[in-house]
Amino acid sequence: MRNLSIFYVLFALLTLSSCGETAKKDQEVVAEEKVSGEETSEENGVILFFGNSLTAGMGLDTEDAFPAIIQEKIDSLGLEYQVVNAGLSGETTAAGKNRISWVLNQDVAIFVLELGANDGLRGVPLEETRKNLQAIIDTVRAKNPETKIILTGMQIPPNMGKEYASGFSNIFPELAKTNDIYLVPFLLKDVGGNPELNQADGIHPTAAGQKILAANVWDILEPIVKNKVESSL
């Protein structure tokens, strides 16, 4: 990856620069409204993005966040899916595990799980992160075994030691294999560490960077949505 050393510095600041508690509470209200079911059509399959500031599109308009860009792709193809962005800045896997139940108050066709980065930066024990992600996956499947699940891979700098960093990055492909779910190998591929694709804080992707994140996810998501449409015909 380009500018890997810069990437390490930027990533180390990710949690510290996340929005404060007041801003996060505001986001929680918005997220709850989005998943309340009032804004979604029962005729459309719901694609739920569940993550942190990367999913929320921190520092950008909602329409510039990668879930909204994916909605545009879906609409351009005439596919009957509605994207719901349930991202919250500063979210950890533990916090995600605690709020997952009320997020799943509607049928979800495809669930995109983007959590873990903040755990790694805080040095959360790897087994705890793994268990929290597994609990989220289990909750989604308990709600609807037919929901397709996509897990987005993440990497962290070796601040906590190379062994920890390596173990952290391995969590995602291992969980994907164990649970037989889909995997985006690395969400920030071609974006992390590139100052031209990150905002002034040097951390969160610009609108151009979010387009690359959308492409990274779309590589995995596109065949899933198309196959589901074809199988329903």
Side-chain angles (χ1 to χ4, degrees), residues 10 13 19 54 66 75 87-88 101 112 130 152 163 169 172 181 183 204 210 223 225:
L10 303 184
L13 297 173
C19 60
L54 298 175
F66 76 85
D75 292 344
L88 287 177
S101 293
V112 183
R130 184 189 299 272
T152 64
E163 184 176 351
S169 64
F172 302 92
I181 59 179
L183 176 71
H204 296 91
Q210 285 279 345
V225 296

Side-chain angles (χ1 to χ4, degrees), residues 192-208:
N194 186 339
E196 295 181 359
L197 294 173
N198 287 278
Q199 298 176 48
D201 62 6
I203 301 163
H204 296 91
T206 61

Side-chain angles (χ1 to χ4, degrees), residues 148-162:
K148 302 296 183 182
I149 301 175
I150 300 174
L151 181 63
T152 64
M154 188 54 60
Q155 300 173 15
I156 59 170
N159 298 30
M160 304 292 178
K162 292 183 179 180

Side-chain angles (χ1 to χ4, degrees), residues 127-203:
E127 191 57 28
E128 182 177 336
T129 296
R130 184 189 299 272
K131 286 182 178 180
N132 289 337
L133 289 172
Q134 183 64 61
I136 294 171
I137 293 169
D138 290 343
T139 301
V140 173
R141 283 190 160 160
K143 173 69 175 181
N144 183 1
E146 300 303 315
T147 298
K148 302 296 183 182
I149 301 175
I150 300 174
L151 181 63
T152 64
M154 188 54 60
Q155 300 173 15
I156 59 170
N159 298 30
M160 304 292 178
K162 292 183 179 180
E163 184 176 351
Y164 181 89
S166 176
F168 177 85
S169 64
N170 288 337
I171 288 175
F172 302 92
E174 289 171 358
L175 281 176
K177 182 177 181 180
T178 299
N179 292 279
D180 192 23
I181 59 179
Y182 300 91
L183 176 71
V184 176
F186 182 35
L187 178 63
L188 291 175
K189 177 185 176 184
D190 298 328
V191 176
N194 186 339
E196 295 181 359
L197 294 173
N198 287 278
Q199 298 176 48
D201 62 6
I203 301 163

